[in-house]
Amino acid sequence: MKKLFPSYVRVPVIFAAVFVALEYFIDSGDHPAFIKYPMVMLFLGVFLFLLIAIEIVTDAVDKVTYHMLTEEQKKKLEEVQSVSFVDSPFYTNLVKKLTRSKDIEQEADVMLNHDYDGIKELDNVLPPWWVNLFYATIIFALVYMLRYHVFGDDNQAQEYIAEVELAQIEIEKNKVISPDDMNVEKVTLLADAESLARGKEIFVNACAACHKASGAGQIGPNLTDEYWVLGGGIKNVFKTISEGGREGKGMVPWKATLKPTEIQKVASYVLSLQGTKPAGGKAPEPEAKIWVEEVAPGTAVVVDSAKVVQK
């Protein structure tokens, strides 16, 4: 039996629709879903096999059914199937509405009197689809002119800049909401009162036993002078608090107890103690060296009595 769409069109279209739907709804990152997930490929293979099998079975049933019809029924079926979609009233009326073209028998009504070497000219009207599309472009141009050149709406460059600014605001918000991605490479010195107050609170509770509440040093070294065992500066102090001090005799690592941003606040508070010179300050450790912060971008020097070492 004749169908509206032959199987060689129907099967690929159905398969493609299912394939696109799977790719759209399955989040597979940068790779296609059927490559990243073997089960998807298996499903598509089984689905294609079933589609082809159904087409083969349907075609066989149609042939058997056709041979079971009487001659009169076969004749009526062939008459019905002989009418194509192009010959249907719906298609014919649609074409006439879109083109408003005259049939060959009516060409005399629009024939002009001009005759150029036997060639005559028809005065047909423009197709409605073309005319309406032309009017649509005029309306679009008018709206575009009013929006961008009269009312001064943002153009593409301005919209891009605005989107970048919004994205930057979202990044800053994200830093506030989930700031614990801090590390030694990203850490910066904090100077605001709130951060230093929090750093002091943690220091008094966790560090005062070894360094005194004033930072003058007890078991641990004096944190208020310019001498440092493992280097000064925010990055070195952050790393020392996070990873711990000298192996076997230094401070324990605090990264399992304190959040990275809390370590940043403690390190910033420790550096704020520089030069306070509290009473009873502990003498520098034998291996400690004077730390001089950044003499050039990204560099620092360690002064050890008689020599200067670039680090």
Side-chain angles (χ1 to χ4, degrees):
M1 293 183 183
K2 188 176 180 180
K3 295 181 176 64
L4 184 61
F5 297 105
S7 58
Y8 60 80
V9 173
R10 189 166 53 252
V11 170
V13 168
I14 295 174
F15 180 79
V18 174
F19 179 85
V20 170
L22 288 173
E23 290 293 334
Y24 180 80
F25 288 108
I26 297 177
D27 184 8
S28 56
D30 298 333
H31 302 285
F34 74 95
I35 292 178
K36 188 171 183 179
Y37 302 112
M39 289 302 296
V40 174
M41 181 180 290
L42 178 62
F43 170 80
L44 289 172
V46 172
F47 181 73
L48 180 61
F49 173 78
L50 291 176
L51 272 180
I52 296 173
I54 290 171
E55 287 296 329
I56 293 173
V57 172
T58 303
D59 185 62
V61 171
D62 287 345
K63 288 180 179 179
V64 171
T65 304
Y66 180 78
H67 287 295
M68 293 174 64
L69 298 177
T70 62
E71 291 300 323
E72 185 178 354
Q73 289 173 328
K74 289 180 181 179
K75 187 176 180 180
K76 288 182 179 180
L77 180 62
E78 289 169 359
E79 288 176 358
V80 172
Q81 292 180 343
S82 65
V83 179
S84 65
F85 176 72
V86 176
D87 299 324
S88 65
F90 171 78
Y91 180 80
T92 304
N93 293 332
L94 179 63
V95 170
K96 284 185 177 179
K97 287 179 181 178
L98 291 177
T99 62
R100 290 175 62 185
S101 60
K102 296 285 186 180
D103 294 332
I104 258 183
E105 295 81 5
Q106 299 173 312
E107 283 188 350
D109 299 338
V110 292
M111 187 77 71
L112 297 177
N113 294 325
H114 306 157
D115 190 330
Y116 301 97
D117 294 332
I119 301 173
K120 295 185 178 181
E121 183 181 357
L122 296 178
D123 189 23
N124 260 326
V125 295
L126 287 170
W129 68 265
W130 191 95
V131 175
N132 293 331
L133 184 62
F134 178 68
Y135 290 150
T137 59
I138 294 175
I139 294 171
F140 175 84
L142 181 62
V143 172
Y144 185 93
M145 182 188 70
L146 291 174
R147 179 177 178 181
Y148 295 107
H149 298 283
V150 176
F151 297 109
D153 201 357
D154 289 348
N155 56 31
Q156 288 182 334
Q158 292 167 327
E159 287 178 353
Y160 171 77
I161 293 171
E163 289 293 332
V164 170
E165 290 175 351
L166 288 174
Q168 191 61 40
I169 292 172
E170 290 298 322
I171 291 172
E172 295 301 324
K173 284 182 180 178
N174 187 60
K175 287 181 180 178
V176 174
I177 295 171
S178 55
D180 285 337
D181 58 349
M182 186 61 62
N183 56 54
V184 70
E185 300 299 328
K186 296 168 59 176
V187 68
T188 56
L189 182 66
L190 301 175
D192 61 286
E194 183 180 352
S195 297
L196 293 179
R198 176 57 180 157
K200 180 179 180 180
E201 179 185 351
I202 297 171
F203 181 86
V204 170
N205 292 330
C207 311
C210 294
H211 297 280
K212 290 187 178 179
S214 63
Q218 190 164 282
I219 300 173
N222 188 345
L223 302 176
T224 64
D225 59 19
E226 67 272 29
Y227 291 89
W228 295 90
V229 176
L230 297 175
I234 186 63
K235 293 186 182 297
N236 285 322
V237 177
F238 179 94
K239 182 179 180 181
T240 301
I241 298 172
S242 178
E243 303 296 333
R246 295 161 291 175
E247 187 175 355
K249 59 178 180 178
M251 180 177 61
V252 298
W254 286 93
K255 60 184 178 182
T257 306
L258 299 175
K259 296 178 181 178
T261 46
E262 290 178 327
I263 296 176
Q264 180 189 24
K265 291 171 183 175
V266 175
S268 298
Y269 173 72
V270 167
L271 291 173
S272 73
L273 298 176
Q274 289 287 282
T276 56
K277 297 181 180 180
K282 185 179 178 181
E285 302 287 326
E287 62 267 46
K289 297 178 178 64
I290 295 176
W291 174 267
V292 180
E293 185 74 29
E294 287 196 2
V295 294
T299 65
V301 294
V302 174
V303 181
D304 182 11
S305 58
K307 62 180 180 178
V308 176
V309 183
Q310 185 104 11
K311 296 192 73 176

